[in-house]
Amino acid sequence: MRDRMLTADVPLGPFEGTKITVYSAKGKNARLHVRRECGQLRTANVTTTEVPLSADVMGRFCSGCADWGPRARETSGLGIFMGALCGAGLLHQLQAYAEPDEDVYWTQEEVRAAAELLRLQREDEDEDEDDDGWWEARREAGELQDQVLSLWRHAAGSLHRAHAVIAHFPWLTDWARPKLLVKEGYLETLRVQAALFVDPAGLVVAAAAAAMDTPTLPVDDHAFAVLGNRSRISTGLSALWRRWQYAAEDGWEGPPARALKRYDLVEGVRSNKKGRAEALEGAARLIQSWEDEARAAAAAADSTPTVWVTARLPEDTEEPSRRDVRDVLDGLDRWTLGVVVTWTVTADWSRRALTLKVPAFVADRLLTSSNALTCDRGAEAASAEVVPQVQPGSVRPGVFDDTAVFDRQPVSLAHLRALRNFSYDADQLYIVFSTSGGAEVLPLKVIEKRVAQGWLGVIVAGASDLPESVINPWMKEACPAPEAEEGPRPGHVGAGQDDRSGADLGLAVGAQVAVRWAQGERAKEHELRLLAMARGVPDLRSLDTGRPGTLSVAVWEGLLTPGPLDLTPFRARSTDRWRGGSGLPLGVLGPVQIYATNADPAFEGKGHSPFCRHTQDRGLAQSDDLLSLCDLLARDDWDWCSKCGGYSARRLTDTQLSYYRAAHRLHDIVGQLDDERTYLAPVEPEALLKELDELADWEPGWHENGNRGGSWRWREVVSDLRRRAERKRLHTAP
C-alpha cells in the first residue's frame, strides 16, 4: 500500500521548499506528523516546527499522514496539489485497476465459456425442472458479463482521471509514466475480455437495422383484426416497428430476444380472446421479415474491418474529480459501447481519443448518426511527446492565496479547473482584482465566465482565507450558547411595540439566521465566511449563479430582511389616518436596497420577495429588480404579493437600524398626542417629554449622506411634539 502514500520519490515541482508545519516527538530521527491529533503521535511533549517541504521531509512522514499529505488551505496552490495527489487522488488512481483484484478474479477461459453460453438459445423456451441448471449457469454468465464490462469502464475512467491530474501538474509525467503503462496494459486485457461478449456480426446487423426506412405496414391484414379498426391497427404496427428497430439498433441481443417484441402488439388483449393467436403469428412473421432484410443488407456489405475512424469521447463540463467520479464512457449507447470494445486499436485516454478500425457499414453509422462520439474518417497521427515542464496553465505558487499579493499571478481557466476539481472548498466567494473592475467579490462560476471571455485578473483571497482572528469572535456572537438565546426570533416584530422594534432587520440577527440550519462548527463557519464576503457586494444580484447556487438560502436570509419594512413613519401626513404617516425624513435609510421579482406595476405579475413561496425560496436572481427606499416611497401604485409583502430589503447597518427604531418611537409619540383619534389611550406627558429629550439629542447619522434638510425636519417634528406634550401636561395638571 506504499504506492498510495506520499513518498520521497514523488516530484514536488515548484512546490518544493514551501513552508509547512509539522509535529513530532523529541528526537532527531522522530517521525513527522502533519496533524497534531495524529493517532501515531503518542507523546505529551510535542514539538511544532515549520520546515520546507522536500523529499527528506516526506520520507519522514508517518504512514497515516503520508496518505493525506501536509496540511494546507484547500484553496491554496499547495492545498490543491495535495488534494490532487492524496486521498482518492493520483496516488490512489495509479495503484487502482493495475492488476486483477484478489477477491474478484476470473480467468480468460471462464470469460470465454460465459460468452459462448450467452450466445446459445434454447430450442424449447419452456422452463421445467430439468432446465434449472442451465438457467442458473446462464444467469451466472450474465453476471460475469456485467462484471467484466463494469470493470473495464471503471479502469478506463481511472486511467483518464490519472491523466487529468498529470495535465494540471506536468512535472509528474516522467515519474508516473511507468505506472500508467501498467494500467494501460491491464485495461487492454479487460477490453479483450469484454469483447468476447460482443458479436461483431450482430453489430453490423444492428447498423443495417438502424439504416432501414420505415416499411409499408400491412394494416389491411385480417390477422390483426383483433386490434380494432384500421387506425388502431396502424398505430399498433407502427409501435411494433419502432420497438423492434430500437432493440435491433442495440446489437447485443439476438433475434430470439427481439422476436419476443411480438407480445407488445397484443398488450391489453385478453389471452383467451378470439384472434389473439393469429395476431401473434402475424407479428412474428412481420418481425422475421425485418430481421431477414437487416441480415441481407449486412451480408451485402463487407464485414471486414477496413475503415479507420478517429473517435473522441464526449467532454464533461467539468473534468473528473475525486468528489464527482464520472465514467469517461458515460453517454455512449450500448451499440457504440460494443463498437468501442470490439474494434478499438489504440486509445489516448488523456485526450479521450480512440482509433477504431471498423467495417464500412459500422463506419457509416458512426459518421452519420447523432451518437455521443465525435468521429472523423481516418486514423489520427501520433501526437508529439510532451516535454514535462511548468507550463503557464499549471498550478504553481503565486496563483492562489499562498504568496504576497504583490507577487500574485493572473488566473487562467486551467487554474480554475484545478481549483474546482481538487478542492472541497472551491465553490465559494473570492476577492479578485483587475484593472477593469478594481477589487470585487465574485463567485467562482462568474470568475470562470470572465476568464473565458479574456478577463485578466488575480484572486486575492477566498472566503476560506479570511483571518480567524476576526471570524472566530464573530462566530461566538452569532452562535450563542442555548441558554443565552433570548434575543428576537427571526421574523418581523411589529414596529413601535417595544424597544426591540425592528431588531430582526439588522446585521447581527442576520448572522444568527445564516447559521441556524448549519450542522456542525465547520458548516457554520463556512456560512459566516460567505456572509462576510457577500456583505461588501454593491449589488447582491451579481452573486446569483443559478440553482443550486454558491450561497445557501440561509445566507441569503442573512443578507436580506425576512419581509417588507414598516415605512409608516416616513410617509407623508394625510387625512387618511390608516395610510398617513408622520412625514419623517428617510435620512440614512434612503439608499437601502430593495429587491423584488417584479417592481414594474405596468408589467404583468405581482412583485414577490426572494423568500416568497411563489418563488420557491430561491434567494436572489439576476433577473430580479433593484430599488431603493427613496424609490419605494416615491409612488404608491406598487402591485405587491399579499403573502410576502412583495420585496425584501438589504439588512440594515447599525446606524440605519438605530434610526429606523428611533423613527418608530417618534411616530408612536405622534399617535399618542393625536387628539383626533377616536380611541385615545391614557397619556403620560412626563414620560413623553423625557423620551422626546432623548430623541432630540440623538444624532441620526445625517453626516453619512449629507442630508442636512432631514436633520432640520427631524428637529422640527421633535419640537412640535414637545409643545403638544407640554400642553397635555398643563391640561392634566391638578
Side-chain angles (χ1 to χ4, degrees):
M1 297 297 289
R2 288 292 295 178
D3 289 343
R4 295 185 59 180
M5 299 164 59
L6 188 63
T7 53
D9 65 316
V10 178
L12 296 173
F15 294 103
E16 186 168 4
T18 303
K19 295 289 186 179
I20 62 171
T21 301
V22 296
Y23 308 90
S24 65
K26 291 184 178 180
K28 183 177 180 180
N29 298 320
R31 285 288 182 183
L32 300 181
H33 308 266
V34 299
R35 296 177 298 118
R36 174 64 179 82
E37 61 276 13
C38 178
Q40 298 187 33
L41 184 57
R42 304 183 184 93
T43 180
N45 299 320
V46 177
T47 302
T48 303
T49 314
E50 190 176 71
V51 298
L53 184 61
S54 65
D56 293 338
V57 170
M58 292 193 301
R60 293 178 58 190
F61 283 156
C62 75
S63 59
C65 293
D67 274 336
W68 298 99
R71 275 192 170 182
R73 294 191 313 279
E74 293 187 357
T75 54
S76 67
L78 180 60
I80 295 172
F81 182 48
M82 289 297 115
L85 282 179
C86 303
L90 178 63
L91 300 179
H92 168 71
Q93 297 301 336
L94 290 178
Q95 186 191 26
Y97 304 105
E99 58 184 1
D101 193 321
E102 296 179 357
D103 298 327
V104 182
Y105 179 71
W106 47 79
T107 64
Q108 186 79 3
E109 291 71 21
E110 291 174 335
V111 174
R112 192 182 305 278
E116 292 176 355
L117 180 60
L118 290 176
R119 289 196 181 96
L120 294 177
Q121 299 292 334
R122 297 299 299 271
E123 295 181 0
D124 184 3
E125 296 181 359
D126 295 333
E127 299 183 19
D128 52 34
E129 294 182 358
D130 297 336
D131 294 328
D132 289 346
W134 188 88
W135 286 107
E136 178 64 20
R138 186 176 175 83
R139 183 188 64 79
E140 292 178 354
E143 291 180 352
L144 182 57
Q145 172 185 326
D146 294 340
Q147 290 174 353
V148 173
L149 288 171
S150 176
L151 189 60
W152 171 69
R153 294 178 66 126
H154 283 87
S158 175
L159 183 59
H160 172 63
R161 286 191 291 276
H163 279 293
V165 173
I166 295 171
H168 288 293
F169 312 99
W171 57 86
L172 297 171
T173 303
D174 289 341
W175 169 80
R177 184 177 289 113
K179 300 177 178 61
L180 292 175
L181 291 176
V182 174
K183 288 177 66 68
E184 290 173 359
Y186 182 57
L187 178 62
E188 178 61 17
T189 299
L190 292 175
R191 187 197 66 80
V192 172
Q193 291 182 348
L196 294 176
F197 292 100
V198 184
D199 180 15
L203 296 177
V204 178
V205 172
M212 290 173 59
D213 296 327
T214 303
T216 302
L217 301 174
V219 294
D220 296 323
D221 191 335
H222 294 292
F224 305 113
V226 70
L227 301 180
N229 57 30
R230 195 173 189 274
S231 175
R232 291 188 175 183
I233 294 174
S234 176
T235 301
L237 293 180
S238 297
L240 178 65
W241 158 255
R242 289 193 301 270
R243 290 176 180 177
W244 173 85
Q245 188 179 41
Y246 181 79
E249 289 176 355
D250 184 287
W252 287 69
E253 296 180 346
R258 294 194 290 270
L260 298 178
K261 297 294 179 183
R262 65 183 183 272
Y263 290 100
D264 295 342
L265 183 65
V266 294
E267 184 178 1
V269 178
R270 296 194 315 272
S271 59
N272 60 351
K273 188 171 183 179
K274 184 178 180 180
R276 183 177 184 274
E278 291 78 358
L280 283 175
E281 293 176 359
R285 292 193 301 271
L286 202 55
I287 290 176
Q288 187 60 46
S289 68
W290 298 336
E291 292 281 354
D292 294 341
E293 183 180 351
R295 283 198 297 271
D302 185 6
S303 60
T304 305
T306 57
V307 181
W308 289 94
V309 174
T310 298
R312 288 177 176 81
L313 296 167
E315 293 284 347
D316 288 333
T317 54
E318 297 178 7
E319 292 184 11
S321 71
R322 57 179 179 158
R323 293 174 295 163
D324 183 19
V325 180
R326 296 178 59 83
D327 190 340
V328 69
L329 298 170
D330 276 351
L332 301 187
D333 56 48
R334 284 173 57 85
W335 180 82
T336 306
L337 200 63
V339 169
V340 171
V341 165
T342 305
W343 288 302
T344 294
V345 178
T346 61
D348 185 350
W349 295 101
S350 63
R351 297 186 299 121
R352 297 170 175 258
L354 308 175
T355 301
L356 313 174
K357 192 176 183 181
V358 299
F361 226 136
V362 174
D364 291 340
R365 181 177 175 184
L366 286 174
L367 295 169
T368 58
S369 64
S370 58
N371 57 65
L373 288 179
T374 302
C375 299
D376 297 306
R377 190 179 294 271
E380 188 177 63
S383 59
E385 188 72 17
V386 178
V387 179
Q389 57 183 352
V390 180
Q391 302 172 352
S394 61
V395 178
R396 61 192 186 279
V399 176
F400 299 103
D401 187 22
D402 48 10
T403 60
V405 176
F406 181 81
D407 298 324
R408 204 63 53 84
Q409 300 297 313
V411 67
S412 68
L413 279 178
H415 298 147
L416 297 178
R417 281 195 295 267
L419 173 64
R420 184 177 289 280
N421 292 338
F422 308 123
S423 173
Y424 285 111
D425 290 337
D427 197 11
Q428 56 175 284
L429 300 180
Y430 295 87
I431 301 174
V432 301
F433 173 78
S434 66
T435 56
S436 59
E440 302 174 272
V441 175
L442 299 174
L444 180 59
K445 188 174 292 186
V446 175
I447 301 175
E448 291 171 331
K449 291 181 180 178
R450 289 193 180 184
V451 173
Q453 297 169 358
W455 179 80
L456 183 67
V458 299
I459 292 180
V460 178
S464 59
D465 301 321
L466 296 178
E468 291 187 351
S469 59
V470 177
I471 298 297
N472 287 346
W474 185 36
M475 187 171 176
K476 293 179 181 178
E477 296 176 4
C479 307
E483 60 272 10
E485 294 181 350
E486 298 178 357
R489 294 178 178 271
H492 192 69
V493 180
Q497 292 182 1
D498 54 35
D499 190 53
R500 296 184 305 173
S501 170
D504 63 332
L505 306 176
L507 298 177
V509 174
Q512 298 176 15
V513 170
V515 299
R516 60 177 172 170
W517 302 119
Q519 300 295 324
E521 295 298 312
R522 181 180 175 85
K524 292 179 180 180
E525 181 180 345
H526 178 70
E527 298 285 55
L528 287 179
R529 287 177 177 272
L530 292 177
L531 178 63
M533 294 281 274
R535 281 180 172 177
V537 177
D539 185 350
L540 295 178
R541 295 176 300 178
S542 64
L543 302 179
D544 173 41
T545 57
R547 303 293 173 266
T550 301
L551 303 184
S552 65
V553 174
V555 175
W556 284 118
E557 291 177 343
L559 292 168
L560 302 170
T561 60
L565 305 180
D566 184 356
L567 301 179
T568 305
F570 311 104
R571 300 189 186 280
R573 293 182 177 180
S574 172
T575 55
D576 187 347
R577 66 185 59 180
W578 301 109
R579 302 187 63 182
S582 299
L584 297 179
L586 278 174
V588 293
L589 294 175
V592 170
Q593 294 177 342
I594 301 296
Y595 294 94
T597 58
N598 177 24
D600 185 359
F603 190 80
E604 184 179 2
K606 294 182 177 293
H608 298 278
S609 158
F611 310 118
C612 181
R613 66 181 182 182
H614 294 103
T615 60
Q616 301 179 350
D617 291 328
R618 58 170 170 74
L620 281 181
Q622 286 277 6
S623 58
D624 288 345
D625 292 334
L626 172 61
L627 305 169
S628 68
L629 274 186
C630 289
D631 299 328
L632 200 62
L633 286 180
R635 56 193 299 177
D636 58 359
D637 60 341
W638 306 106
D639 188 14
W640 300 132
C641 169
S642 60
K643 301 295 183 181
C644 66
Y647 67 87
S648 285
R650 194 157 183 166
R651 286 194 173 270
L652 307 182
T653 65
D654 292 343
T655 300
Q656 291 169 338
L657 179 60
S658 179
Y659 179 55
Y660 179 86
R661 297 167 67 181
H664 277 279
R665 289 172 61 191
L666 200 60
H667 177 68
D668 186 54
I669 295 174
V670 171
Q672 294 183 55
L673 296 176
D674 186 1
D675 295 331
E676 297 182 0
R677 290 196 174 187
T678 306
Y679 301 100
L680 295 177
V683 176
E684 299 181 5
E686 292 293 344
L688 294 182
L689 287 170
K690 181 179 179 181
E691 189 170 2
L692 287 170
D693 289 339
E694 295 177 3
L695 294 173
D697 296 336
W698 180 77
E699 178 65 32
W702 308 112
H703 60 280
E704 293 191 7
N705 59 1
N707 188 354
R708 298 299 176 183
S711 176
W712 174 84
R713 175 60 184 155
W714 176 271
R715 291 187 175 88
E716 181 185 44
V717 173
V718 172
S719 298
D720 178 64
L721 292 176
R722 186 192 297 276
R723 289 192 296 270
R724 292 163 63 181
E726 288 285 359
R727 289 197 298 267
K728 284 279 187 181
R729 183 173 63 175
L730 293 176
H731 291 161
T732 58

Short mmCIF file of all heavy atoms in Angstrom, two decimals, residues 127-149:
data_model
loop_
_atom_site.label_atom_id
_atom_site.label_comp_id
_atom_site.label_asym_id
_atom_site.label_seq_id
_atom_site.Cartn_x
_atom_site.Cartn_y
_atom_site.Cartn_z
N GLU A 127 -39.66 -23.54 -19.32
CA GLU A 127 -38.76 -23.81 -18.21
C GLU A 127 -39.37 -24.90 -17.34
O GLU A 127 -40.45 -24.73 -16.79
CB GLU A 127 -38.55 -22.55 -17.37
CG GLU A 127 -37.92 -21.41 -18.16
CD GLU A 127 -37.68 -20.21 -17.27
OE1 GLU A 127 -37.65 -20.40 -16.03
OE2 GLU A 127 -37.53 -19.10 -17.80
N ASP A 128 -38.71 -26.06 -17.26
CA ASP A 128 -39.16 -27.11 -16.35
C ASP A 128 -38.02 -27.42 -15.39
O ASP A 128 -36.97 -26.78 -15.39
CB ASP A 128 -39.60 -28.36 -17.12
CG ASP A 128 -38.51 -28.81 -18.11
OD1 ASP A 128 -37.32 -28.64 -17.78
OD2 ASP A 128 -38.86 -29.32 -19.19
N GLU A 129 -38.23 -28.41 -14.56
CA GLU A 129 -37.26 -28.71 -13.52
C GLU A 129 -35.91 -29.13 -14.11
O GLU A 129 -34.86 -28.87 -13.54
CB GLU A 129 -37.80 -29.82 -12.61
CG GLU A 129 -39.03 -29.38 -11.82
CD GLU A 129 -39.50 -30.48 -10.89
OE1 GLU A 129 -38.88 -31.56 -10.92
OE2 GLU A 129 -40.47 -30.26 -10.15
N ASP A 130 -35.93 -29.76 -15.31
CA ASP A 130 -34.67 -30.20 -15.91
C ASP A 130 -33.82 -29.04 -16.40
O ASP A 130 -32.63 -29.20 -16.66
CB ASP A 130 -34.96 -31.15 -17.09
CG ASP A 130 -35.66 -32.41 -16.61
OD1 ASP A 130 -35.49 -32.75 -15.43
OD2 ASP A 130 -36.37 -33.03 -17.43
N ASP A 131 -34.44 -27.87 -16.57
CA ASP A 131 -33.72 -26.73 -17.11
C ASP A 131 -33.11 -25.85 -16.03
O ASP A 131 -32.46 -24.86 -16.35
CB ASP A 131 -34.67 -25.86 -17.95
CG ASP A 131 -35.13 -26.61 -19.19
OD1 ASP A 131 -34.34 -27.41 -19.69
OD2 ASP A 131 -36.26 -26.37 -19.64
N ASP A 132 -33.34 -26.17 -14.75
CA ASP A 132 -32.87 -25.29 -13.67
C ASP A 132 -31.37 -25.07 -13.74
O ASP A 132 -30.88 -23.94 -13.57
CB ASP A 132 -33.26 -25.86 -12.31
CG ASP A 132 -34.76 -25.77 -12.07
OD1 ASP A 132 -35.42 -25.02 -12.84
OD2 ASP A 132 -35.27 -26.41 -11.13
N GLY A 133 -30.61 -26.12 -13.97
CA GLY A 133 -29.16 -25.98 -14.00
C GLY A 133 -28.70 -25.10 -15.15
O GLY A 133 -27.78 -24.29 -15.00
N TRP A 134 -29.36 -25.26 -16.33
CA TRP A 134 -28.96 -24.46 -17.49
C TRP A 134 -29.25 -22.98 -17.26
O TRP A 134 -28.40 -22.13 -17.56
CB TRP A 134 -29.72 -24.96 -18.72
CG TRP A 134 -29.23 -24.33 -20.01
CD1 TRP A 134 -28.22 -24.78 -20.80
CD2 TRP A 134 -29.75 -23.16 -20.63
NE1 TRP A 134 -28.06 -23.96 -21.88
CE2 TRP A 134 -29.00 -22.93 -21.81
CE3 TRP A 134 -30.76 -22.25 -20.32
CZ2 TRP A 134 -29.23 -21.87 -22.66
CZ3 TRP A 134 -31.00 -21.19 -21.16
CH2 TRP A 134 -30.24 -21.00 -22.32
N TRP A 135 -30.42 -22.69 -16.73
CA TRP A 135 -30.77 -21.28 -16.50
C TRP A 135 -29.90 -20.67 -15.40
O TRP A 135 -29.56 -19.48 -15.46
CB TRP A 135 -32.25 -21.16 -16.12
CG TRP A 135 -33.17 -21.35 -17.30
CD1 TRP A 135 -33.96 -22.42 -17.57
CD2 TRP A 135 -33.34 -20.44 -18.38
NE1 TRP A 135 -34.63 -22.26 -18.74
CE2 TRP A 135 -34.27 -21.03 -19.28
CE3 TRP A 135 -32.81 -19.19 -18.69
CZ2 TRP A 135 -34.67 -20.40 -20.44
CZ3 TRP A 135 -33.21 -18.57 -19.86
CH2 TRP A 135 -34.13 -19.17 -20.73
N GLU A 136 -29.52 -21.45 -14.40
CA GLU A 136 -28.64 -20.93 -13.36
C GLU A 136 -27.27 -20.61 -13.93
O GLU A 136 -26.67 -19.56 -13.61
CB GLU A 136 -28.52 -21.96 -12.22
CG GLU A 136 -27.58 -21.53 -11.09
CD GLU A 136 -28.06 -20.31 -10.35
OE1 GLU A 136 -29.27 -20.00 -10.43
OE2 GLU A 136 -27.22 -19.65 -9.70
N ALA A 137 -26.76 -21.49 -14.80
CA ALA A 137 -25.46 -21.22 -15.44
C ALA A 137 -25.53 -19.99 -16.34
O ALA A 137 -24.59 -19.18 -16.39
CB ALA A 137 -25.02 -22.44 -16.25
N ARG A 138 -26.65 -19.84 -17.02
CA ARG A 138 -26.82 -18.67 -17.88
C ARG A 138 -26.89 -17.38 -17.05
O ARG A 138 -26.35 -16.34 -17.44
CB ARG A 138 -28.08 -18.83 -18.73
CG ARG A 138 -28.25 -17.74 -19.77
CD ARG A 138 -29.48 -18.03 -20.62
NE ARG A 138 -29.73 -16.95 -21.54
CZ ARG A 138 -29.14 -16.79 -22.73
NH1 ARG A 138 -28.25 -17.68 -23.13
NH2 ARG A 138 -29.43 -15.77 -23.51
N ARG A 139 -27.56 -17.44 -15.91
CA ARG A 139 -27.63 -16.26 -15.03
C ARG A 139 -26.25 -15.88 -14.53
O ARG A 139 -25.87 -14.69 -14.51
CB ARG A 139 -28.55 -16.55 -13.84
CG ARG A 139 -28.74 -15.36 -12.90
CD ARG A 139 -29.50 -15.77 -11.66
NE ARG A 139 -28.74 -16.75 -10.88
CZ ARG A 139 -27.72 -16.41 -10.08
NH1 ARG A 139 -27.33 -15.14 -9.95
NH2 ARG A 139 -27.09 -17.35 -9.39
N GLU A 140 -25.44 -16.85 -14.13
CA GLU A 140 -24.09 -16.57 -13.67
C GLU A 140 -23.23 -16.01 -14.80
O GLU A 140 -22.39 -15.13 -14.57
CB GLU A 140 -23.47 -17.86 -13.11
CG GLU A 140 -24.13 -18.35 -11.83
CD GLU A 140 -23.52 -19.64 -11.33
OE1 GLU A 140 -22.66 -20.22 -12.05
OE2 GLU A 140 -23.91 -20.10 -10.23
N ALA A 141 -23.44 -16.51 -16.02
CA ALA A 141 -22.70 -15.97 -17.16
C ALA A 141 -23.07 -14.51 -17.41
O ALA A 141 -22.20 -13.68 -17.72
CB ALA A 141 -22.97 -16.81 -18.41
N GLY A 142 -24.35 -14.19 -17.25
CA GLY A 142 -24.78 -12.79 -17.41
C GLY A 142 -24.17 -11.89 -16.35
O GLY A 142 -23.79 -10.74 -16.63
N GLU A 143 -24.07 -12.39 -15.12
CA GLU A 143 -23.44 -11.61 -14.06
C GLU A 143 -21.96 -11.37 -14.36
O GLU A 143 -21.44 -10.28 -14.11
CB GLU A 143 -23.61 -12.32 -12.72
CG GLU A 143 -25.05 -12.35 -12.20
CD GLU A 143 -25.15 -13.06 -10.88
OE1 GLU A 143 -24.13 -13.66 -10.44
OE2 GLU A 143 -26.25 -13.04 -10.28
N LEU A 144 -21.28 -12.41 -14.89
CA LEU A 144 -19.87 -12.24 -15.23
C LEU A 144 -19.70 -11.21 -16.36
O LEU A 144 -18.77 -10.40 -16.34
CB LEU A 144 -19.28 -13.58 -15.65
CG LEU A 144 -17.78 -13.56 -16.00
CD1 LEU A 144 -16.96 -13.04 -14.83
CD2 LEU A 144 -17.30 -14.96 -16.40
N GLN A 145 -20.61 -11.24 -17.32
CA GLN A 145 -20.56 -10.24 -18.39
C GLN A 145 -20.67 -8.83 -17.82
O GLN A 145 -19.89 -7.93 -18.17
CB GLN A 145 -21.69 -10.48 -19.38
CG GLN A 145 -21.84 -9.37 -20.42
CD GLN A 145 -23.05 -9.59 -21.32
OE1 GLN A 145 -23.41 -10.71 -21.64
NE2 GLN A 145 -23.67 -8.51 -21.73
N ASP A 146 -21.61 -8.61 -16.92
CA ASP A 146 -21.78 -7.29 -16.31
C ASP A 146 -20.54 -6.89 -15.52
O ASP A 146 -20.13 -5.72 -15.54
CB ASP A 146 -23.02 -7.28 -15.41
CG ASP A 146 -24.31 -7.46 -16.20
OD1 ASP A 146 -24.29 -7.21 -17.42
OD2 ASP A 146 -25.33 -7.85 -15.59
N GLN A 147 -19.94 -7.84 -14.82
CA GLN A 147 -18.75 -7.53 -14.02
C GLN A 147 -17.56 -7.16 -14.90
O GLN A 147 -16.83 -6.20 -14.60
CB GLN A 147 -18.39 -8.74 -13.14
CG GLN A 147 -19.39 -9.01 -12.02
CD GLN A 147 -19.06 -10.28 -11.26
OE1 GLN A 147 -18.17 -11.04 -11.65
NE2 GLN A 147 -19.80 -10.54 -10.19
N VAL A 148 -17.37 -7.90 -15.99
CA VAL A 148 -16.24 -7.60 -16.88
C VAL A 148 -16.41 -6.22 -17.51
O VAL A 148 -15.48 -5.40 -17.54
CB VAL A 148 -16.10 -8.69 -17.95
CG1 VAL A 148 -15.04 -8.29 -18.98
CG2 VAL A 148 -15.73 -10.02 -17.31
N LEU A 149 -17.61 -5.94 -18.04
CA LEU A 149 -17.85 -4.64 -18.67
C LEU A 149 -17.72 -3.50 -17.66
O LEU A 149 -17.16 -2.44 -17.97
CB LEU A 149 -19.23 -4.63 -19.31
CG LEU A 149 -19.39 -5.48 -20.58
CD1 LEU A 149 -20.85 -5.55 -21.00
CD2 LEU A 149 -18.55 -4.90 -21.71
#
